[in-house]
């Protein structure tokens, strides 16, 4: 243990008194914790370059005053029971927001300060239909551990900084191959920038392309977390309505032609409605983008899980004009705390994005990049996705069936062809809040779709995530719900 | 394998022709790679919901034209030798910066575009005195692997998102305790924000506190990577000279009183000169900060390795007025690719920093946070630091002795009391570039200190990092150097 103590040899205070004061203060401010072992007198004397007698004298006083105690044959410790008066002091400031700030913030800081939000609490009922929750219990954790162990000892190169602004090259190659096969994304590995998930990808796009006041088109309803990032950068948000074929592209034509800098879309499984952007709308959107100084920001979340229909190629793969920035992540298909996502950017923007990533935080942890590379190249990723697709498909069918059976003509279900949630419109005599409360009372957690609308109001729309539930829970949950909502 | 193919049932083209075209394009654009297996006719027919005969017809044509080949009993593959004419096409755009940008960048993007830099190449000679390189070969990699394996299987909670804006709470607690013991930093765990290393910590400070045009005082010479981040945010840089007792605080008094928003310092081992900010200067700096609307940004890098002298408490621990933002990292004491660092911020700024971190990229990978927590709490961190301090001390003594022995009155050595590099001023008849070239010719890598000055010019100053060398290399390296520099 290192203990930093400042002694002043020119002070009028004797050294043993200074050591006493410093140790006492360390205990008072809990730099030394109750029960913690302190250095031996010999060790501390060596460290401080003073005589052992000096330290012994200081320790004796602390022992007699009840700050330290000696356990025979073991050493000297901070007393577990400190003198009463000490316990009343709260020497360390605890974080609080009550004081006025003494420093001036940047404009970015000011905006954040005006819109501080808490993590949206997930429902914590025994059966909670939470969105964005993959079935983590099915993640092949033992396999992941085996790969971690193997790469950990393969060599020690991974300990050092990477040599690549854009991320580990073999991983970029593996992702580019995978995207080509599975999503019809056409990209060279050198167009890929690896990021800490979708969140950092969105943030980098904002930093490089958006000044405060610039306008971004986003789907209404649309993904709240994305909107928060856009807001934090001072962007003006232009809502574009959504129907069962995805974002209504023709609405773009009614906007001031050149006023948008970006259009943010979730074509594979629109959030939260779940609609899939049709091929004709995709082509229409790309044609529009070609005629305007505006990029399409394609967040291809949930693209891995499609049921029934044939997959539709990503906008990025249909694009002929470098109008698309594509964002993907492994948070949902593997696990969220992995923190690996990626951007596919037009060639002329690559070096800027690479530099911005490097300036932000240099790189991702190397070991995880190596493990993920092997995971993809050995076919584990696609095998896991296949397995999970059939698992989720089963859950989805169970959910849809249960909802229809119990609610019949009083339920409408949207977005069931893809993803791991559906949007459900329930006709009841209660407000959205009342529905959520009644459900909670019988142990069922629901989330309203309201927050994701620009104009939040009661629509009777709820996001039913089913990823981390099992069939029995789904059946029981909908059963309880039906009872309490009076069907 | 998933293969995304778009069929248009209303098209005049027959389906088998569409399938043929799509597969051919996939091969041409290398979405399907030479040697790669393609789905069986039955599987693809199922996926696309067309008849098997349709697929067979398409495959037959691709086989006859040399795009596919069949291996008996194994399946159908993309030909390893594609028809010659295909090999001439380069269907995928390769990243390049030659085109003009078709989109407008943000001000941040513009600044980056004007100052694009490459990774500074490290010298790659057989014996290279590179700074900032810890002795990674001594990292207890087997222990780290054991902890990774244990936490990986302990439960699956770590797979999910964390619930804490500021980072894994037990890790913040462990770091706060450690900082109290070792650095006299006084902080509550709730003042800690975990970051992806120092780089992200600096970036968050910039985002929240600095508008373009705001001025930041930094040491001259000072850490180039920090300066680059400050520049990218459009900050004006005000150099403050450094002497053997660290940054010369009284120079601050001569500046326009309220013009600085931040002063960035490296008090434990000034970069690159290695001087240690004296206690009196520390108190002077804090007194100055108290009288101005300016925060001190304390980058406490290299604080773990001190030789001879007693440690001096961190500025943060001496501060009574919440004027200090403290930055630390595990990149050098553990390993760089871990990407875990931290900020200790004044209480009134905690929630802003937490939110900015969350908006930037949500959180660090959870598994590594858990492993690091155990590594600190079980005493491995401090034990490793102790071991490495004695290792580096030995290297340092060897280096200093070799330099003095060979160069005698022609060498001055700075900053040898701490850290894992020294700054060396050599009196020779060559320019800095010539010295580096002559050294490289005999297999010795040197780095000039020039880049870290505001006014780079020949001073004969070199940064001798010794962290990843051994004693024999150091002796041999200085020996070679002495021969080629004509002593």
């Amino acid at each position: 243990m290192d203990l930093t103590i400042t002694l002043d040899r020119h002070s009028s205070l004797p050294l043993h008194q200074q050591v006493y004061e410093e140790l006492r203060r360390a205990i008072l401010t809990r730099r030394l914790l109750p029960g913690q072992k302190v250095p031996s007198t010999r060790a501390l004397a060596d460290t401080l370059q003073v005589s052992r007698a000096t330290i012994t004298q200081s320790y004796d006083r602390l022992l007699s005053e009840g700050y330290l105690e000696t356990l025979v044959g073991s050493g000297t410790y901070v007393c577990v029971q400190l003198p009463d008066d000490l316990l009343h002091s709260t020497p360390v400031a605890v974080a609080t927001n009550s004081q006025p700030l003494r420093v001036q913030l940047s404009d970015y800081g000011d905006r954040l300060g005006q819109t501080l939000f808490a993590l949206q609490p997930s429902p914590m009922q025994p059966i909670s239909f939470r969105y964005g929750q993959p079935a983590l219990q099915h993640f092949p954790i033992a396999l992941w551990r085996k790969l971690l162990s193997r790469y950990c000892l393969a060599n020690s190169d991974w300990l050092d900084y990477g040599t690549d602004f854009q991320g580990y090259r073999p991983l970029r190659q593996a992702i580019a191959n995978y995207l080509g096969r599975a999503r019809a994304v056409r990209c060279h590995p050198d167009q890929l920038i690896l990021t800490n998930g979708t969140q950092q990808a969105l943030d980098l796009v904002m930093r490089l392309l958006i000044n405060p006041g610039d306008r971004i088109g986003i789907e209404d309803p649309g993904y709240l977390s994305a909107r928060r990032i856009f807001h934090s950068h001072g962007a003006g948000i232009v809502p574009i309505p959504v129907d069962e074929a995805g974002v209504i592209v023709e609405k773009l034509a009614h906007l001031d032609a050149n006023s948008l800098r970006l259009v943010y879309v979730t074509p594979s499984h629109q959030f939260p409605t779940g609609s899939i952007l049709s091929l004709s709308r995709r082509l229409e959107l790309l044609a529009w983008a070609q005629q305007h100084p505006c990029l399409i920001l394609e967040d291809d979340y949930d693209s891995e899980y499609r049921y029934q229909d044939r997959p539709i190629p990503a906008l990025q793969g249909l694009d002929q004009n470098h109008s698309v920035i594509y964002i993907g992540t492994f948070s949902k298909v593997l696990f969220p705390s992995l923190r690996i996502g990626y951007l596919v950017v037009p060639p002329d923007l690559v070096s800027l994005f690479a530099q911005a990533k490097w300036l932000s935080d240099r790189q991702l942890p190397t070991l995880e990049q190596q493990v993920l590379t092997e995971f993809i190249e050995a076919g584990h990723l696609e095998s896991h996705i296949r397995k999970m697709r059939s698992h989720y498909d089963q859950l989805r069918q169970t959910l849809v069936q249960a909802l229809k059976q119990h609610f019949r003509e009083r339920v409408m279900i949207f977005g069931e062809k893809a993803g791991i949630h559906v949007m459900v419109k329930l006709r009841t005599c209660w407000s959205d809040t009342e529905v959520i409360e009644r459900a909670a009372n019988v142990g069922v957690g629901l989330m309203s779709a309201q927050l994701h609308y620009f104009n939040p109001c009661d629509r009777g729309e709820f996001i039913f995530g089913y990823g981390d539930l099992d069939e029995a829970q789904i059946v029981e949950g909908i059963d309880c719900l039906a009872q309490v909502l009076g069907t």
Side-chain angles (χ1 to χ4, degrees), chain A:
Chain A
M1 188 197 65
D2 263 342
L3 186 63
T4 309
I5 286 183
T6 316
L7 300 183
D8 180 355
R9 284 169 199 273
H10 308 293
S11 160
S12 57
L13 273 186
L15 286 172
H16 69 86
Q17 174 100 26
Q18 293 184 41
V19 173
Y20 160 81
E21 293 284 358
E22 285 285 322
L23 284 174
R24 182 173 172 277
R25 189 173 312 148
I27 294 167
L28 265 156
T29 56
R30 299 177 75 81
R31 281 171 45 211
L32 286 169
L33 294 173
Q36 192 174 353
K37 191 170 183 175
V38 296
S40 69
T41 49
R42 183 191 300 276
L44 191 56
D46 283 350
T47 307
L48 300 179
Q49 301 183 324
V50 298
S51 78
R52 196 168 166 196
T54 301
I55 304 296
T56 308
Q57 206 173 344
S58 326
Y59 273 31
D60 282 348
R61 180 159 170 206
L62 291 164
L63 285 162
S64 72
E65 291 179 1
Y67 294 95
L68 296 181
E69 58 188 342
T70 304
L71 299 184
V72 179
S74 165
T76 306
Y77 294 80
V78 177
C79 270
V80 176
Q81 290 290 335
L82 288 177
D84 267 357
D85 54 336
L86 301 188
L87 298 177
H88 298 301
S89 67
T90 50
V92 177
V94 176
T96 158
N97 300 308
S98 53
Q99 304 114 305
L101 291 178
R102 70 174 278 275
V103 293
Q104 204 181 325
L105 299 175
S106 69
D107 295 342
Y108 178 84
D110 273 338
R111 282 192 301 271
L112 248 59
Q114 285 154 22
T115 58
L116 285 180
F117 58 88
L119 277 175
Q120 199 194 343
S122 274
M124 295 302 287
Q125 280 70 31
I127 300 174
S128 287
F129 293 94
R130 301 182 297 166
Y131 61 81
Q133 290 290 135
L136 294 178
Q137 68 275 24
H138 291 289
F139 178 74
I141 203 165
L143 170 61
W144 191 261
R145 174 173 178 262
K146 199 178 80 182
L147 295 178
L148 268 180
S149 288
R150 187 193 306 160
Y151 279 88
C152 205
L153 282 198
N155 58 57
S156 61
D157 292 351
W158 61 272
L159 295 171
D160 208 351
Y161 287 115
T163 53
D164 196 325
F165 274 178
Q166 297 178 233
Y168 187 57
R169 184 60 163 70
L171 178 55
R172 289 192 279 116
Q173 180 73 62
I175 294 174
N177 292 347
Y178 163 70
L179 288 177
R181 290 195 298 271
R183 298 296 305 128
V185 164
R186 293 191 296 177
C187 71
H188 192 277
D190 288 346
Q191 286 175 264
L192 272 161
I193 316 282
L194 304 185
T195 63
N196 308 341
T198 297
Q199 193 91 2
Q200 186 178 49
L202 290 171
D203 187 54
L204 289 175
V205 171
M206 289 301 103
R207 293 176 77 157
L208 285 172
L209 299 178
I210 297 298
N211 279 328
D214 285 346
R215 306 211 304 159
I216 302 177
I218 93 168
E219 302 155 330
D220 182 23
Y223 186 39
L224 179 64
S225 284
R227 201 156 23 114
R228 280 194 171 133
I229 299 179
F230 303 162
H231 270 307
S232 75
H233 286 269
I237 307 284
V238 179
I240 310 169
V242 165
D243 66 15
E244 68 288 350
V247 67
I248 305 174
V249 178
E250 63 173 345
K251 298 283 183 188
L252 285 170
H254 303 308
L255 297 171
D256 171 19
N258 295 315
S259 79
L260 293 182
R261 299 288 298 280
L262 273 179
V263 174
Y264 170 80
V265 288
T266 51
S268 281
H269 193 229
Q270 201 278 328
F271 192 91
T273 68
S275 55
I276 299 172
L277 192 63
S278 67
L279 184 60
S280 59
R281 288 247 178 109
R282 285 175 199 235
L283 298 172
E284 195 185 344
L285 181 57
L286 291 170
W288 177 87
Q290 194 179 345
Q291 288 155 22
H292 295 86
C294 177
L295 289 177
I296 308 298
L297 186 51
E298 176 176 30
D299 182 349
D300 206 26
Y301 97 103
D302 263 4
S303 62
E304 298 82 5
Y305 303 122
R306 299 167 305 266
Y307 318 106
Q308 302 167 335
D309 282 7
R310 291 190 304 277
I312 300 182
L315 281 165
Q316 198 277 354
L318 297 167
D319 172 37
Q320 305 288 331
N321 299 284
H322 298 317
S323 325
V324 177
I325 294 177
Y326 179 92
I327 295 180
T329 178
F330 295 98
S331 292
K332 299 297 189 268
V333 290
L334 297 179
F335 57 95
S337 86
L338 176 61
R339 312 310 303 133
I340 302 187
Y342 47 87
L343 284 156
V344 180
V345 302
D348 56 354
L349 291 175
V350 166
S351 49
L352 269 174
F353 271 88
Q355 192 109 118
K357 164 64 185 170
W358 192 88
L359 281 170
S360 298
D361 64 358
R362 285 201 181 220
Q363 63 165 85
L364 304 177
T366 306
L367 185 61
E368 276 69 17
Q369 295 186 77
Q370 294 183 340
V371 167
L372 180 55
T373 306
E374 162 107 22
F375 196 86
I376 297 173
E377 293 200 326
H380 301 306
L381 173 69
E382 275 149 293
S383 142
H384 180 60
I385 289 175
R386 231 174 2 253
K387 191 179 134 204
M388 295 313 296
R389 186 185 296 140
S390 124
H391 174 74
Y392 292 137
D393 194 11
Q394 195 61 48
L395 298 180
R396 178 185 70 92
Q397 291 183 36
T398 305
L399 173 63
V400 169
Q401 195 181 353
L403 280 167
K404 286 184 175 164
Q405 181 189 324
H406 284 290
F407 289 90
R408 296 175 181 278
E409 75 291 346
R410 295 168 51 218
V411 67
M412 287 171 72
I413 299 170
F414 303 91
E416 57 172 305
K417 288 183 177 172
I420 53 174
H421 77 260
V422 293
M423 192 169 84
V424 173
K425 191 176 174 79
L426 290 174
R427 197 141 43 81
T428 69
C429 54
W430 290 286
S431 72
D432 292 1
T433 309
E434 286 167 338
V435 167
I436 288 172
E437 281 172 4
R438 294 182 73 87
N441 287 340
V442 291
V444 176
L446 287 190
M447 297 174 94
S448 165
Q450 275 203 34
L451 271 179
H452 303 280
Y453 277 92
F454 281 72
N455 172 24
C457 65
D458 276 15
R459 290 180 178 83
E461 290 174 356
F462 301 89
I463 306 173
F464 277 67
Y466 50 82
D468 62 344
L469 299 177
D470 62 31
E471 287 187 66
Q473 288 176 310
I474 291 174
V475 169
E476 188 191 336
I478 301 303
D479 202 47
C480 293
L481 204 60
Q483 286 175 34
V484 80
L485 295 180
T487 61

